[in-house]
Amino acid sequence: MMMHRRLFQLFWGLGLYGFSMALMLRANLGLDPWDVLHQGMAPRLGLSFGMTVNLVGAIVLLLWWPLRQRPGIGTVANIVLIGTAVDLSLILLPTPEGFAMRAAWLGAGIVLNGIAGGAYIGAGLGPGPRDGLMTGLCRRTGLPVKWVRTGIELAVLAIGWLLGGTVGAGTVLYAMSIGWIVHHALPWFRIDAPERAALA
């Protein structure tokens, strides 16, 4: 029963994560740092946005080696499902009209993104490649999630901007707030894993 709960939380968390990314894309007020990178890479690779997300996830997984992180079911599911959920959500979501609606979609996307991240990490079945990098650095440095996550987001943003990704007000808002949202969401979704409390 516990495993069923973990799997359910993992999959809805990943689906929500992809949906939240699509909301931010449709808002068109600035992408989150990783998506600035994905947008810059996608035309160079000749892939859809979502498939670029999946490919980058697989590449980031290689960075786990020096951090001695171990992948799990959640890691593999993250690489396969998030980008797929983004592409499907983009097909279903209309483009919002008017600044107020776009701003609302952006705000909702950022909040849902942080909640979704806390949900699938809290399931305890292995973080996604990007979040595994975050949690691995937390363990190695002793720094809290909110600082490590923010540092990673800012570094990725710089690389994505150099590749031609779109940066806007939403990018800055995401980079400065997502670490705090994940930091406070993790305790709500952690399932019988007290050893991970230090990460928060």
Side-chain angles (χ1 to χ4, degrees):
M1 183 63 70
M2 184 61 70
M3 179 54 72
H4 290 161
R5 179 185 171 191
R6 288 177 184 271
L7 288 170
F8 177 73
Q9 183 170 305
L10 170 68
F11 289 118
W12 74 252
L14 292 174
L16 181 62
Y17 200 95
F19 177 74
S20 70
M21 290 169 64
L23 281 175
M24 290 183 281
L25 282 163
R26 284 286 186 249
N28 196 30
L29 291 173
L31 301 174
D32 70 83
W34 280 104
D35 286 343
V36 172
L37 177 64
H38 300 145
Q39 186 184 50
M41 292 179 64
R44 291 172 169 79
L45 297 174
L47 297 174
S48 69
F49 186 91
M51 293 304 99
T52 302
V53 171
N54 290 348
L55 177 62
V56 170
I59 294 172
V60 171
L61 185 60
L62 298 176
L63 300 178
W64 285 29
W65 180 258
L67 298 175
R68 297 176 181 174
Q69 286 281 91
R70 295 182 179 180
I73 296 172
T75 310
V76 177
N78 183 291
I79 293 173
V80 174
L81 296 180
I82 287 185
T84 304
V86 173
D87 279 349
L88 291 175
S89 296
L90 288 173
I91 292 172
L92 298 174
L93 285 172
T95 300
E97 296 183 3
F99 179 80
M101 184 62 70
R102 290 164 59 203
W105 282 38
L106 173 66
I110 293 173
V111 173
L112 291 176
N113 193 268
I115 292 172
Y120 72 71
I121 293 172
L125 293 173
R130 300 160 187 81
D131 291 303
L133 180 64
M134 174 187 72
T135 55
L137 287 172
C138 286
R139 270 197 286 269
R140 297 283 289 197
T141 65
L143 295 172
V145 169
K146 55 188 174 184
W147 296 121
V148 173
R149 178 65 182 261
T150 300
I152 292 173
E153 299 294 332
L154 292 175
V156 169
L157 172 61
I159 297 171
W161 178 74
L162 290 173
L163 290 174
T166 302
V167 177
T171 308
V172 177
L173 179 61
Y174 184 97
M176 301 309 297
S177 64
I178 192 63
W180 296 88
I181 299 172
V182 174
H183 174 75
H184 292 291
L186 273 170
W188 289 92
F189 294 107
R190 189 176 290 111
I191 301 176
D192 291 340
E195 71 276 9
R196 292 198 299 278
L199 295 178

